Amino acid sequence: MMETKFAVACAVGNMTLATALLATSAAPAWALDGDPIAGQAIFQRTCQNCHSLDVGVNKIGPSLWHVVGRQPASVQGFDYSEAMRGNKTPWDIAALDSYLADPRGDVHGVKMFFKGLGDARDRADVIAYLQTKQ
């Protein structure tokens, strides 16, 4: 298995090792194709009115700094809904994709009123952008 990961890491050229290792996991194929530049524009248009990317700066929604991989309802100082406090699925790529597609359908009872990003490419781009904010 390690030899496979090493071969993938060597084969990908300028991709980071973390991204190469992700390629050998069960992550959806589109997750590796997200464009963080496009994701930034989508984030600015659809997310930044309610969410900050600054550490400890909460708005209507919690700060999304370091959201990829963290536990839900874990930002200090933010008053999460009971539904989100009950969500125990870490914010990995698949969980973020599902949530961003339909927040209220994915975690019933959340405060977030955003209807979601229907386009899988847009979600992949936003997630790629959020991965740069670690």
Side-chain angles (χ1 to χ4, degrees):
M1 182 68 154
M2 188 58 150
E3 292 169 347
T4 302
K5 290 180 180 179
F6 179 75
V8 170
C10 292
V12 294
N14 65 356
M15 287 174 54
T16 67
L17 179 58
T19 302
L21 292 175
L22 186 62
T24 65
S25 74
W30 55 258
L32 300 177
D33 296 330
D35 177 359
I37 304 290
Q40 179 179 15
I42 296 164
F43 183 90
Q44 289 171 340
R45 188 174 65 246
T46 61
C47 309
Q48 81 175 6
N49 285 338
C50 296
H51 293 279
S52 169
L53 289 171
D54 297 325
V55 177
V57 177
N58 297 321
K59 293 181 171 184
I60 294 169
S63 170
L64 295 180
W65 174 260
H66 205 289
V67 69
V68 181
R70 83 174 178 218
Q71 290 296 318
S74 60
V75 172
Q76 296 296 315
F78 187 78
D79 182 27
Y80 290 95
S81 66
E82 186 175 325
M84 190 56 75
R85 287 191 305 270
N87 181 14
K88 302 301 181 198
T89 304
W91 291 123
D92 62 15
I93 292 169
L96 283 167
D97 179 59
S98 179
Y99 187 75
L100 290 174
D102 181 12
R104 290 181 169 262
D106 189 55
V107 181
H108 299 285
V110 295
K111 293 178 184 177
M112 190 160 137
F113 58 87
F114 179 64
K115 68 177 183 166
L117 293 171
D119 184 86
R121 168 61 49 205
D122 287 349
R123 294 191 307 272
D125 292 346
V126 168
I127 293 167
Y129 176 61
L130 291 172
Q131 287 178 306
T132 70
K133 303 303 177 185
Q134 302 287 355

